[in-house]
C-alpha cells in the first residue's frame, strides 16, 4: 500500500512538471542505462567564447556524424548547467566545478569516463578542425 502511494506521488510530480530536465541523479546514471556513449558538456551561468565554441563544435560533430546513432539512442548529447540546483548531483558525480566536456561509455552496466576538458579548451577555439577530428575519433573508439 505504502509503495503504491509513493509510486502514485512520483507519477503525479512527473506529470505536473511537464518538461523533462537535463538533471539526472547519480543513481539514475548507473541504474537502467542502456549501452550508449554520452557526450556531456557542463557549463556554468557565465560562459566565455571558448566555452561556447566547445558546445557549438561538439554539436556540429554530433549532428553531422552521429545523427543516426543519436536517433537510435546509441549516442546521447547532454548540456548541463552546473549553476542550477537540480544539477548538483551530476556535477558532483563527475567532480565538475566549471565548464567541462566528458565522454561516458555505458556498456554492460559499467561506465567508462573520459575527461576531454583539457583537449577541448586547448583546441575548440584555436584549432576547431583538430577539436572536431579528435572528438570524432574518441566517439568512434567508445562506440566499438
Amino acid at each position: 500500500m505504502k509503495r503504491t502511494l509513493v509510486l502514485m506521488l512520483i507519477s503525479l510530480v512527473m506529470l505536473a512538471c511537464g518538461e523533462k530536465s537535463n538533471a539526472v541523479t547519480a543513481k539514475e546514471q548507473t541504474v537502467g542505462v542502456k549501452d550508449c556513449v554520452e557526450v556531456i558538456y557542463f557549463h556554468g551561468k557565465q560562459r566565455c567564447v571558448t566555452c561556447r565554441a566547445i558546445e557549438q563544435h561538439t554539436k556540429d560533430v554530433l549532428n553531422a556524424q552521429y545523427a543516426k546513432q543519436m536517433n537510435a539512442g546509441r549516442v546521447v548529447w547532454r548540456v548541463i548547467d552546473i549553476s542550477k540546483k537540480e544539477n548538483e548531483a551530476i556535477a558532483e558525480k563527475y567532480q565538475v566545478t566549471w565548464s567541462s566536456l566528458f565522454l561516458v561509455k555505458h556498456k554492460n552496466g559499467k561506465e567508462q569516463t573520459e575527461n576531454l576538458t583539457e583537449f577541448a579548451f586547448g583546441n575548440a577555439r584555436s584549432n576547431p578542425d583538430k577539436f572536431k577530428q579528435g572528438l570524432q575519433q574518441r566517439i568512434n573508439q567508445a562506440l566499438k
Side-chain angles (χ1 to χ4, degrees):
M1 172 79 171
K2 190 175 186 179
R3 187 176 190 175
T4 304
L5 185 58
V6 169
L7 288 173
M8 288 175 53
L9 181 60
I10 290 171
S11 297
L12 180 63
V13 169
M14 291 174 86
L15 287 172
C17 291
E19 195 174 314
K20 187 174 180 180
S21 167
N22 278 343
V24 175
T25 66
K27 185 176 180 183
E28 290 172 322
Q29 272 295 312
T30 57
V31 176
V33 174
K34 68 179 186 171
D35 290 357
C36 69
V37 173
E38 281 186 292
V39 181
I40 309 173
Y41 170 64
F42 295 94
H43 68 84
K45 195 172 190 174
Q46 300 290 328
R47 296 193 288 166
C48 66
V49 175
T50 304
C51 296
R52 293 180 192 279
I54 292 168
E55 180 180 3
Q56 185 60 54
H57 294 318
T58 302
K59 249 194 287 192
D60 292 346
V61 167
L62 293 172
N63 290 332
Q65 303 299 322
Y66 301 98
K68 288 180 184 178
Q69 292 91 334
M70 289 175 68
N71 287 333
R74 291 191 59 224
V75 174
V76 178
W77 167 235
R78 297 180 44 196
V79 177
I80 298 174
D81 183 345
I82 62 172
S83 68
K84 293 185 176 181
K85 183 136 180 92
E86 65 264 22
N87 294 327
E88 284 178 359
I90 193 164
E92 186 175 311
K93 177 182 179 181
Y94 293 103
Q95 300 179 352
V96 172
T97 57
W98 63 304
S99 292
S100 302
L101 184 65
F102 279 76
L103 190 66
V104 183
K105 179 179 181 176
H106 298 276
K107 185 152 184 155
N108 299 324
K110 295 186 181 179
E111 186 177 290
Q112 183 180 356
T113 303
E114 184 177 4
N115 186 342
L116 300 176
T117 305
E118 189 175 326
F119 169 77
F121 271 89
N123 294 292
R125 189 161 164 230
S126 62
N127 195 345
D129 290 335
K130 181 178 179 181
F131 172 78
K132 290 177 181 182
Q133 184 178 34
L135 179 61
Q136 187 174 345
Q137 287 174 342
R138 286 171 169 94
I139 293 171
N140 288 341
Q141 289 172 347
L143 285 169
K144 290 182 181 179

